Amino acid sequence: MSCCCSCPYHRYLFYDMATLCVDSRPSLRKTGFLFLKASIILVLLFHLAQTTRLYSEEDLVVILTSSTIKQSLLNSSTAWLVQFYSSWCGHCIQYSPTWKALARDVQDWEQAIRIGVLDCAQENNFDICKDFGVHFYPTFRYFKAHNPAFDVGQTNRGADRELQTVRQLMVNFLQNHTKQDWPASCPALEPSSSENILSLIGQKSDQYTAIIVENEDSYIGREVILDLMTYQGLTVKRALSSDKRLIEKLGINSFPSAYLLHPNGTHDILDVQKRLRFFFSSFLKLLPGVHRKQNGSGAAQEPLIKGPQDPGISEAWKDFEKSKVYMADLESGLHYLLRVELATHQTLVGEELKTFKVFVTVVAKSVLFNSLSQLFPGRHSVVKLLETLLEWLISLPLEKIPYDAILDLVNNKMRISGMFLSNQLQWVGCQGSRVGLRGYPCSLWTLFHVLTVQAARQPDALANTGLEENPKAVLQTMRMYIVSFFGCQECGKHFEEMAAESLSQVKSLDQAVLWLWRKHNQVNGRLAGTMSEDPHFPKTQWPSPDLCPTCHEEQDGIHVWNEDKVLAFLKQHYGAANISPKHLHSSYPKPPAADRALKPNQEMLGHPESKPIEPIPGKTVAPESSVLPANHAKQSRVEGAGQAGIGAHNDIRPGVSFLGLGFSNLDMSLCVVLYAFSCVFLMFMFFFFRVRSKRWKVRYNRPYV
């Protein structure tokens, strides 16, 4: 206990308790022992608080310290709500999930008001907590924007600290600002007059205007305004139901309601399933042309991939329905996985080989069991490739397999009829609006969502694989693949942390479906607003209300998921019947003459003899073309992905290896000739000995021998 006694308070406390423990009076001695035990527990809790944290940066709160709090609050462009807490305080620990949920709920408000925390149990924060006059935990303080001098803040003394109440208090606090100290990026929260709104009706504009009409005591309009403040292409206003002239003009008779003015001058009432803040905000965020504002970094951005109406674009925009899953995305993901991402590994050995075998088993068995080729006529080719790859991997008793052998099989160097996987990337539901966005990561998520759903819908899909009794089989396969092969190392680290935290809690196939959905939404929440987010496809919590209105509910003003409805939606959305064959390439390769037309793909994927691509004004290169191998050795392996492989080209090299085992075309021809010669020789020997045997029986008169 030397570390405890280093503190004067602890030293005197233990001295007093020890004095009572040796007192001659039994009652005092017993009391001393009880107080000593309690003191030891308190001291242990105190020192435990020095090494533990209730909050981290991933909780979307700003973690303040004695060295940062004053400079953060002084003359800040935003208002602040700060919780002063103690990490050993039981109530603070119990309240931390609510505070984290509040930070997630209002993360789009950060340009108006920010959420912060400061741990007063940390020794270096003792003095700053005294400076702010904090005596009890937790203490909530509001700080106004643009405050030029030190201020201890405005304390929230309300007994109700539920999320909805605190959120509404944040709105009230913002409205208490004057014009002089109003947060610079915060939009107006006051209701608009009927004259202001009616003057906009029928007028063309370069953006949408949404009007939330509500009762005077409602907070939905103001909350939706703050939810959309980080988005462009839309202005949100609010009006009151007491404005009779406006209500009659708009034809609204129930509240709250939303009225939308389109850029082309048309206008109508928004048809939302539920009149809740989350529904209004989600619907408006998904309007065409509405997207999150980009951080002004000053860096030049790649041009957007626009629709097919724009001439001269190399990769035309493909129209798609967001309620569908596209087979083109799944096949493009498999192509990239097998021919590009796997190509960075010269040889698969040990855990990598085991992971690849399990991955192929899960994908092949799920596809074969559900007979996708019967749903989509002409798509037997990919099923046959996966089946052949699986049988080949199982039959090989090798401890290591060169990647070139796998590539030879994927490219169908054996010329097996009807086996084909397109060598072109064709994103549809996963296409991005800008080079380098979405694409392969989107297709990989989609693939594993499909696999978890197929496993839940058909529990016998993995029969006789050794995985049939494991409800986490698909998730563990995904985990192993991402750790071993996924190119984004930081992404793999985050996924491994999520898996290590909660994957063991999955006990059924349905829970596996929901686990992957939760983690995908968790990743979306973490990446929302970052540079990797496609501004035209914002990372929102999915499914959105327009896809599954019954999946969303509200309890005490807080959005909650109805997970039974979510599970039913996921099984329908990722089910085989909802997979669309639209925009698929032909199932079979073109004639060899088509090789010349595919040379641009060789350049995109780093063909060693190709010239670099020069940018062409008005044209956009697809995101996948920017993926270049790290060195020449990798380039030679990736080269096969850009050529017209899979039986699409003639082999002009004299010694092409077969399955990476050193057999050339000449070797295979000799094998066929020797096989035929052996058959003829064996037949000759059979008839020779049969005739000789008959002669022997006649000569020695032994017909029954």
Side-chain angles (χ1 to χ4, degrees):
M1 301 299 294
S2 59
C3 63
C4 299
C5 293
S6 61
C7 171
Y9 171 77
H10 295 154
R11 188 184 304 117
Y12 292 132
L13 176 66
F14 278 106
Y15 177 80
D16 292 339
M17 294 302 105
T19 303
L20 286 174
C21 290
V22 297
D23 195 282
S24 59
R25 288 166 290 185
S27 59
L28 288 179
R29 189 162 61 247
K30 182 177 181 180
T31 302
F33 277 119
L34 291 175
F35 274 106
L36 184 60
K37 290 179 180 178
S39 300
I40 292 174
I41 293 173
L42 286 174
V43 170
L44 289 175
L45 286 173
F46 177 85
H47 284 276
L48 182 64
Q50 305 300 308
T51 57
T52 58
R53 302 288 186 274
L54 290 183
Y55 302 95
S56 67
E57 297 293 346
E58 293 184 357
D59 296 322
L60 303 179
V61 298
V62 181
I63 299 177
L64 301 169
T65 64
S66 58
S67 59
T68 63
I69 184 170
K70 287 187 177 180
Q71 65 186 39
S72 297
L73 300 179
L74 193 65
N75 204 26
S76 171
S77 62
T78 69
W80 283 81
L81 171 57
V82 179
Q83 179 193 170
F84 295 85
Y85 74 99
S86 176
S87 50
W88 54 257
C89 165
H91 181 65
C92 299
I93 296 172
Q94 293 176 359
Y95 189 73
S96 60
T98 302
W99 197 255
K100 294 174 184 178
L102 174 68
R104 288 193 301 271
D105 188 49
V106 299
Q107 60 180 308
D108 288 330
W109 301 11
E110 65 175 359
Q111 294 182 14
I113 184 168
R114 306 188 72 182
I115 305 290
V117 292
L118 189 140
D119 186 3
C120 292
Q122 296 299 310
E123 190 170 357
N124 57 342
N125 291 336
F126 288 169
D127 292 337
I128 199 69
C129 289
K130 291 180 182 178
D131 292 344
F132 279 89
V134 177
H135 303 291
F136 304 101
Y137 311 115
T139 293
F140 302 94
R141 296 280 177 85
Y142 293 95
F143 298 88
K144 286 190 173 184
H146 304 294
N147 197 333
F150 173 75
D151 181 16
V152 296
Q154 176 183 331
T155 303
N156 172 29
R157 303 185 183 279
D160 184 1
R161 291 175 175 174
E162 295 301 318
L163 191 153
Q164 183 180 15
T165 304
V166 177
R167 189 178 67 219
Q168 293 175 356
L169 287 173
M170 292 170 66
V171 174
N172 292 339
F173 181 72
L174 281 174
Q175 289 191 281
N176 286 336
H177 283 71
T178 64
K179 289 183 178 181
Q180 288 72 29
D181 57 18
W182 187 264
S185 300
C186 183
L189 301 178
E190 295 300 321
S192 299
S193 64
S194 58
E195 290 78 9
N196 177 270
I197 294 174
L198 293 177
S199 64
L200 301 175
I201 294 180
Q203 301 295 320
K204 291 186 178 182
S205 174
D206 58 352
Q207 63 180 3
Y208 293 91
T209 300
I211 301 103
I212 308 296
V213 185
E214 60 184 346
N215 295 323
E216 189 172 0
D217 58 350
S218 172
Y219 282 84
I220 289 180
R222 287 168 284 183
E223 291 173 347
V224 172
I225 291 174
L226 292 170
D227 287 341
L228 273 296
M229 64 180 294
T230 58
Y231 287 77
Q232 62 186 28
L234 172 74
T235 298
V236 184
K237 300 177 179 290
R238 61 183 286 253
L240 300 180
S241 58
S242 57
D243 192 334
K244 301 301 182 183
R245 179 189 173 199
L246 179 65
I247 301 308
E248 292 176 1
K249 183 68 176 179
L250 301 182
I252 296 175
N253 50 29
S254 57
F255 309 101
S257 290
Y259 202 85
L260 186 63
L261 309 182
H262 296 262
N264 61 4
T266 61
H267 47 90
D268 52 18
I269 299 176
L270 278 185
D271 182 19
V272 293
Q273 297 288 335
K274 300 179 181 179
R275 301 174 186 276
L276 304 173
R277 167 204 170 200
F278 182 83
F279 277 72
F280 288 125
S281 297
S282 298
F283 187 96
L284 295 174
K285 289 177 182 178
L286 295 175
L287 288 172
V290 175
H291 53 85
R292 193 183 297 272
K293 297 175 183 176
Q294 297 297 297
N295 294 328
S297 59
Q301 294 182 332
E302 295 288 342
L304 295 178
I305 299 175
K306 300 180 181 179
Q309 70 275 8
D310 296 327
I313 292 182
S314 60
E315 190 71 23
W317 183 261
K318 293 172 279 293
D319 293 328
F320 67 95
E321 300 176 46
K322 61 181 179 180
S323 60
K324 292 285 186 182
V325 175
Y326 288 86
M327 181 60 74
D329 292 324
L330 300 178
E331 289 191 7
S332 295
L334 283 175
H335 153 64
Y336 191 92
L337 185 154
L338 294 171
R339 294 197 181 101
V340 179
E341 194 158 60
L342 212 63
T344 60
H345 301 257
Q346 294 185 7
T347 303
L348 300 187
V349 62
E351 284 299 316
E352 288 184 352
L353 179 58
K354 177 183 176 182
T355 297
F356 184 65
K357 286 183 177 180
V358 173
F359 173 80
V360 174
T361 299
V362 169
V363 176
K365 287 291 183 180
S366 297
V367 172
L368 291 172
F369 188 88
N370 289 282
S371 302
L372 290 181
S373 57
Q374 295 178 5
L375 286 172
F376 309 123
R379 301 313 297 181
H380 301 272
S381 54
V382 178
V383 175
K384 190 170 184 178
L385 172 64
L386 292 170
E387 181 182 21
T388 305
L389 181 59
L390 175 61
E391 292 177 352
W392 179 69
L393 288 171
I394 293 175
S395 63
L396 279 181
L398 301 177
E399 295 183 356
K400 61 181 181 179
I401 298 177
Y403 167 72
D404 289 335
I406 298 172
L407 183 62
D408 286 343
L409 195 148
V410 173
N411 286 343
N412 197 9
K413 292 292 183 66
M414 299 172 292
R415 302 298 190 268
I416 298 175
S417 176
M419 193 173 86
F420 174 74
L421 174 63
S422 173
N423 66 334
Q424 297 184 29
L425 292 168
Q426 184 82 348
W427 308 123
V428 183
C430 287
Q431 62 188 320
S433 65
R434 185 172 285 128
V435 173
L437 299 178
R438 307 187 79 218
Y440 177 61
C442 166
S443 71
L444 198 62
W445 277 110
T446 304
L447 174 63
F448 280 104
H449 279 301
V450 169
L451 293 177
T452 56
V453 166
Q454 297 304 328
R457 292 172 69 97
Q458 305 288 352
D460 297 330
L462 297 176
N464 303 318
T465 63
L467 303 172
E468 59 270 18
E469 300 298 328
N470 184 5
K472 299 189 286 285
V474 175
L475 297 178
Q476 288 173 339
T477 302
M478 182 180 184
R479 181 181 185 181
M480 293 163 60
Y481 172 81
I482 289 176
V483 170
S484 300
F485 298 111
F486 193 56
C488 177
Q489 203 170 39
E490 194 67 21
C491 307
K493 178 183 175 183
H494 282 299
F495 189 85
E496 176 61 26
E497 290 173 354
M498 293 191 300
E501 179 185 11
S502 59
L503 186 57
S504 60
Q505 300 171 9
V506 175
K507 304 298 182 185
S508 69
L509 294 171
D510 284 350
Q511 289 180 10
V513 175
L514 289 173
W515 185 91
L516 188 60
W517 161 75
R518 292 192 199 99
K519 298 309 171 184
H520 196 171
N521 269 343
Q522 184 176 332
V523 172
N524 282 346
R526 186 175 70 248
L527 297 180
T530 63
M531 293 181 65
S532 64
E533 181 185 47
D534 191 323
H536 290 265
F537 298 94
K539 294 185 181 297
T540 58
Q541 298 302 287
W542 191 88
S544 55
D546 58 328
L547 285 178
C548 182
T550 58
C551 295
H552 303 267
E553 294 180 355
E554 192 170 284
Q555 294 179 359
D556 300 325
I558 307 171
H559 171 263
V560 294
W561 293 98
N562 184 329
E563 293 197 348
D564 291 336
K565 300 294 185 182
V566 171
L567 179 62
F569 170 81
L570 293 173
K571 288 186 174 181
Q572 178 276 327
H573 184 77
Y574 291 110
N578 197 46
I579 300 179
S580 170
K582 190 176 181 182
H583 299 296
L584 275 173
H585 282 301
S586 172
S587 296
Y588 298 100
K590 298 179 181 180
D595 286 353
R596 290 188 299 273
L598 293 173
K599 285 186 178 179
N601 283 344
Q602 297 176 354
E603 296 170 357
M604 290 178 187
L605 292 169
H607 195 282
E609 298 178 0
S610 64
K611 296 180 180 179
I613 300 177
E614 296 182 2
I616 303 175
K619 292 190 177 184
T620 303
V621 180
E624 51 272 16
S625 65
S626 60
V627 181
L628 295 177
N631 54 52
H632 184 80
K634 293 179 183 177
Q635 287 178 350
S636 63
R637 294 194 298 276
V638 177
E639 178 184 345
Q643 300 192 12
I646 322 172
H649 66 282
N650 290 328
D651 212 333
I652 60 175
R653 290 176 293 177
V656 181
S657 64
F658 176 74
L659 295 182
L661 302 179
F663 296 116
S664 67
N665 289 339
L666 179 61
D667 295 331
M668 296 305 298
S669 300
L670 288 174
C671 287
V672 174
V673 172
L674 288 174
Y675 179 78
F677 176 77
S678 300
C679 291
V680 173
F681 177 75
L682 289 174
M683 291 176 65
F684 172 78
M685 294 301 295
F686 171 78
F687 287 111
F688 173 77
F689 283 107
R690 185 175 180 83
V691 172
R692 186 175 180 182
S693 175
K694 287 183 179 181
R695 288 178 179 177
W696 184 84
K697 292 178 182 179
V698 173
R699 179 180 296 180
Y700 294 100
N701 195 21
R702 295 183 179 183
Y704 301 108
V705 176

